[in-house]
């Protein structure tokens, strides 16, 4: 099964990646955001989460396909995003990356319309102040490049630990975020987007394990031809596995965390 790891070019040739693209009705392309969606989908599929009756909680869902993709498999989904005013202030509304209702979350028609509205609900949620009503309520949680927008490195670290409380025993959390390939010291530590270093991920792993959660991780970095290319603003290249953020080169990292059964 997939474990916590960096986005690597070799994944794009894997059967699991092709299958996830098919299920999400997305054309194959060498883009790290597509990798994140396929990685989350496959990680949950392998762990038996994408079946009728399972309940999932998504953070910062924007307009991603995963919500409707999970509903199509019979999962009951609570999709969340920032409230409109906060999202507007951070630029997510103007860039069409924010949701404030169910409309738009099934825009690609991955799920039968009647089934979608039966299984999916939308709520506003602040990732820095997760409501107690979510505690022990879900079989899985996920987010795709969302918790680097919590405001700081420290807030992102706390989110990854705090969101585990939303899981039932045996539940699975899969979250992707930005990973700093340039430095394990200097980084973007505050602001709308932060950039996690290896030391920050190591802190998360240790904190999660100290709470009794399971996480296996591979920090290996790919050296393929496509991933040797670094996309720069305004990020128009068809190859987008690595990108320039400030003075740093980054890629995506996925974290898969399991809550013990007892």
């Amino acid at each position: 099964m997939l474990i916590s790891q960096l986005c690597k070019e070799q994944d794009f040739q894997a059967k699991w990646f092709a299958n996830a693209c098919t299920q999400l009705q997305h054309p194959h392309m060498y883009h790290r955001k597509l990798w994140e969606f396929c990685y989350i989908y496959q990680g949950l599929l392998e762990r038996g989460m994408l079946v009728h009756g399972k309940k999932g909680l998504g953070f910062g869902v924007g307009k991603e396909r995963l919500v409707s993709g999970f509903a199509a498999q019979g999962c009951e989904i609570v999709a969340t995003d920032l409230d409109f005013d906060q999202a507007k202030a951070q630029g997510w509304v103007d860039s069409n990356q924010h949701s404030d209702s169910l409309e738009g979350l099934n825009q690609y028609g991955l799920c039968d319309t009647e089934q979608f509205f039966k299984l999916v609900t939308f709520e506003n949620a602040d990732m820095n102040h997760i409501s107690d009503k979510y505690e022990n309520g879900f079989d899985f949680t996920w987010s795709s490049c969302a918790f680097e927008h919590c405001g700081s490195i420290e807030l992102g670290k706390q989110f990854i630990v705090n969101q585990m409380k939303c899981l039932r025993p045996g539940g699975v959390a899969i979250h992707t975020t930005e990973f700093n390939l340039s430095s394990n010291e200097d980084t973007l530590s505050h602001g709308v987007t932060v950039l996690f270093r290896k030391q920050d991920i190591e802190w998360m792993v240790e904190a999660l394990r100290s709470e009794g959660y399971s996480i296996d991780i591979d920090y290996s970095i790919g050296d393929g031809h496509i991933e040797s290319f670094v996309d720069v603003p305004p990020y128009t290249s068809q190859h987008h596995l690595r990108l320039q953020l400030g003075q740093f080169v980054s890629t995506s990292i996925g974290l898969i965390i399991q809550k013990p059964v007892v």
Side-chain angles (χ1 to χ4, degrees), residues 244-262:
Q244 190 84 23
L245 279 175
Q247 74 235 54
F248 306 105
V249 175
S250 76
T251 190
S252 299
I253 186 170
L255 303 176
I256 301 178
I257 315 146
Q258 186 104 26
K259 192 169 188 174
V261 175
V262 291

Side-chain angles (χ1 to χ4, degrees), residues 6 35 117 158 170:
L6 300 179
W35 177 88
F117 283 98
Q158 292 306 315

Side-chain angles (χ1 to χ4, degrees), residues 28-44:
H28 186 287
M29 57 191 297
Y30 287 88
H31 198 291
R32 69 191 186 97
K33 287 298 296 181
L34 179 58
W35 177 88
E36 292 177 25
F37 297 145
C38 292
Y39 173 86
I40 294 169
Y41 190 94
Q42 176 67 13
L44 292 172

Side-chain angles (χ1 to χ4, degrees), residues 152-225:
S152 70
I153 292 285
E154 292 305 315
L155 287 172
K157 288 178 178 180
Q158 292 306 315
F159 165 77
I160 241 356
V161 175
N162 292 339
Q163 59 83 36
M164 292 300 292
K165 298 175 183 177
C166 301
L167 291 172
R168 297 164 177 162
V172 177
I174 306 187
H175 299 269
T176 61
T177 192
E178 305 281 359
F179 185 84
N180 189 336
L181 291 167
S182 297
S183 176
N184 196 28
E185 297 299 329
D186 299 324
T187 197
L188 304 175
S189 59
H190 292 80
V192 174
T193 300
V194 302
L195 189 50
F196 294 102
R197 302 157 294 190
K198 183 179 180 183
Q199 64 166 291
D200 302 313
I201 303 298
E202 289 175 330
W203 182 95
M204 296 177 207
V205 170
E206 183 177 346
L208 290 162
R209 288 175 176 167
S210 71
E211 296 283 342
Y213 308 126
S214 299
I215 176 170
D216 296 316
I217 190 160
D218 174 10
Y219 290 107
S220 64
I221 299 171
D223 58 359
H225 174 71

Side-chain angles (χ1 to χ4, degrees), residues 101-118:
S101 69
L102 278 179
E103 282 67 36
L105 287 177
N106 194 30
Q107 61 181 316
Y108 301 104
L110 273 63
C111 184
D112 171 79
T113 301
E114 184 178 352
Q115 178 171 316
F116 180 83
F117 283 98
K118 178 181 178 182

